[in-house]
Amino acid sequence: MLIFVMLHRFIANDIQSRSDAWLTGEVAVLRDVAGRTPKDRLYSRVVGEVAELASREVSYKLRSNSNENDSVFFLQVGNDGALKLWVGSGDGLANLAAIRERKFISEVPYDLHVKGFDSPFRIASVQLDDGSRIYLGLSERDELRVLRNLRLRFFCLWLLIVLFDSAIVFFVTKRMLGLVRKITEAASQIGQSDLSRRVPTSKRNDEIGHLAQTLNHMLDRIESSMHQLHTITGALAHDLRSPLTAIRGKLEIALCGDFKAGQSEPLVSAIDELDRLTEYLNVSLDVAEAKADALRLSLTEVDLDELMRVMIDLYEPSMSEKGLRVNLRSAGPVMVLADAALLHRVIANLLDNELNHLPASCTVFITLSANEDLATLIVEDDGPGFSAEISRHIFEQRVKGRGSKGHGLGLAFVEAVVRAHGGSVTASNRPKGGASLSISWPRGSKANIEVSRSLTLIHR
């Protein structure tokens, strides 16, 4: 637009300069003709015809249906200010009045507004030897028409350029956003279970192409790190389990020997400690992998309602022996997409937690519900609830109550596994007493498992 404004100004100045040059030249010719022509009865006719011929030399003059030339006028004024000669449209009185109203006389062309005309006149004047002055006026009507047409063409051209540029920007932006959308969709589908996938790349040497290559390089490093982590945890588990298993076997063989009453107790205790150490090792490695988003999942459809009933049947004898009651409220089958073995361990940890920490005569309330997107499992009890010193760090590793004999990994394992499946866990104390732990488990496809995981801890 600025270029068009500057071009318009340049053309307007050029037309003005040409008009002034024409006026200056023609008024000089008319002065020469008027000075040389005898002042007889033919003077007006000779000078008038010369002025009329001069008016036809305007190149951009608008063609008029009138016989009179209304774009150019020639006017001669005597020493007394009276009109001596007029060539132009009308009687020239309005032109003479406008000239008289002008306060000063200039030899340089200037603009003059004449009453009855919409456009101003460009006036050039010169004084003759006898004291009279001639004026040659050129209407700026045709000049303004040319500039108006030029502005209209400039505007149409500018509008065409703007529309063309907008179309180019729209399609280029749409194409770039399309590539960004494909990269985003691919990145959102790349999770811990599919680290071998890569975002789409193109041969374009631009920022989008560099972004895709950078993401793929980052995924290469993450996949390599995950592979190293799996290798290290696998080797560590193998190197620790093997001697533990061997020691346990030797202790069991020794336990089969002939011992007096009470002498076998240390061996039984040692076997129990080895079992606890093995369990601690397994859970610690699983929690470490889950915290690093490297837990390997084998997703299948699991009926959470059926699994809960099976687990309650397993734990109910132990709970009854301790004086605990279990109350399950479920509306029916609830299918979820989960790693069956890990989900089984999650529920076992929850029930173990209730079994180990609740005093006798307490009741465990288990509620299972579901909607289209989420399955919700709520485990509540009417026991003492979470103690104040651990309530803020209940899902952290090795955080446990003073009277607990566990390793403080149960709820940390539950949170890690639920988070690995894209779910969330909340824990709080009930207003009426007792603890409440709620698990929200996604019911969607594998892709939905890769959504962001959240953990919310509520304190009451």
Side-chain angles (χ1 to χ4, degrees), residues 144-450:
L144 296 176
R145 175 184 59 83
V146 171
L147 293 177
R148 187 166 55 249
N149 291 336
L150 187 62
R151 286 196 296 271
L152 179 61
R153 286 181 172 82
F154 278 171
F155 177 76
C156 293
L157 182 59
W158 173 80
L159 185 62
L160 183 63
I161 292 175
V162 169
L163 293 177
F164 182 71
D165 290 344
S166 300
I168 292 177
V169 171
F170 173 76
F171 285 109
V172 171
T173 304
K174 183 179 180 181
R175 183 178 180 183
M176 293 183 66
L177 291 179
L179 293 174
V180 173
R181 185 176 63 255
K182 290 180 180 178
I183 292 174
T184 303
E185 292 175 354
S188 64
Q189 294 173 359
I190 297 174
Q192 58 183 5
S193 60
D194 195 11
L195 283 176
S196 60
R197 293 190 60 180
R198 295 294 180 268
V199 299
T201 58
S202 64
K203 298 180 180 179
R204 296 161 56 93
N205 186 23
D206 54 11
E207 287 74 10
I208 303 298
H210 295 164
L211 174 63
Q213 293 176 3
T214 302
L215 288 176
N216 284 336
H217 291 160
M218 182 183 68
L219 290 171
D220 290 340
R221 293 194 296 271
I222 292 175
E223 185 180 17
S224 177
S225 299
M226 291 299 105
H227 177 71
Q228 293 179 7
L229 177 61
H230 290 157
T231 302
I232 292 173
T233 54
L236 182 63
H238 179 269
D239 292 344
L240 292 177
R241 284 171 185 161
S242 295
L244 291 176
T245 304
I247 294 172
R248 192 179 191 282
K250 292 178 181 178
L251 291 175
E252 288 179 342
I253 294 174
L255 191 61
C256 295
D258 187 13
F259 291 97
K260 294 181 180 178
Q263 291 181 338
S264 62
E265 188 65 25
L267 295 178
V268 174
S269 178
I271 291 175
D272 290 340
E273 290 298 326
L274 285 176
D275 290 340
R276 294 184 65 226
L277 181 59
T278 303
E279 177 65 17
Y280 177 76
L281 173 64
N282 293 333
V283 176
S284 295
L285 293 177
D286 288 339
V287 172
E289 287 189 349
K291 294 290 185 184
D293 288 335
L295 198 61
R296 288 158 289 193
L297 302 179
S298 179
L299 298 178
T300 57
E301 278 200 340
V302 180
D303 186 351
L304 190 55
D305 174 77
E306 180 182 357
L307 180 59
M308 285 300 308
R309 295 181 186 279
V310 171
M311 295 299 293
I312 289 174
D313 290 340
L314 290 175
Y315 276 83
E316 195 167 21
S318 300
M319 290 187 173
S320 298
E321 183 179 353
K322 192 176 179 179
L324 301 178
R325 296 180 296 274
V326 180
N327 185 352
L328 174 63
R329 287 173 288 184
S330 174
V334 177
M335 305 304 296
V336 295
L337 194 63
D339 186 300
L342 290 175
L343 182 57
H344 185 278
R345 292 173 61 186
V346 165
I347 297 174
N349 273 278
L350 294 177
L351 296 179
D352 278 338
N353 195 55
E354 299 289 353
L355 181 62
N356 295 330
H357 297 91
L358 281 183
S361 303
C362 290
T363 303
V364 179
F365 304 96
I366 300 176
T367 305
L368 181 61
S369 60
N371 57 27
E372 186 177 354
D373 300 323
L374 291 175
T376 302
L377 173 65
I378 300 175
V379 180
E380 299 174 308
D381 60 57
D382 53 0
F386 299 112
S387 58
E389 62 269 20
I390 67 169
S391 59
R392 293 181 179 276
H393 313 282
I394 197 167
F395 293 113
E396 297 180 6
Q397 299 180 54
R398 291 178 291 279
V399 173
K400 58 182 182 179
R402 293 180 180 178
S404 175
K405 298 181 181 179
H407 302 291
L409 294 175
L411 291 182
F413 176 78
V414 170
E415 182 272 332
V417 171
V418 172
R419 195 172 66 90
H421 284 79
S424 62
V425 184
T426 62
S428 62
N429 284 326
R430 302 171 64 198
K432 298 180 179 179
S436 174
L437 194 144
S438 175
I439 297 176
S440 295
W441 200 283
R443 303 185 65 193
S445 61
K446 291 183 179 180
N448 293 337
I449 301 297
E450 309 301 333

Side-chain angles (χ1 to χ4, degrees), residues 83-113:
L83 180 63
K84 293 182 61 178
L85 180 61
W86 165 258
V87 177
S89 177
D91 54 9
L93 295 179
N95 303 67
L96 180 60
I99 291 173
R100 286 175 177 174
E101 290 178 357
R102 187 176 175 84
K103 301 300 181 183
F104 60 92
I105 300 174
S106 174
E107 300 291 339
V108 179
Y110 56 89
D111 290 337
L112 180 69
H113 292 273

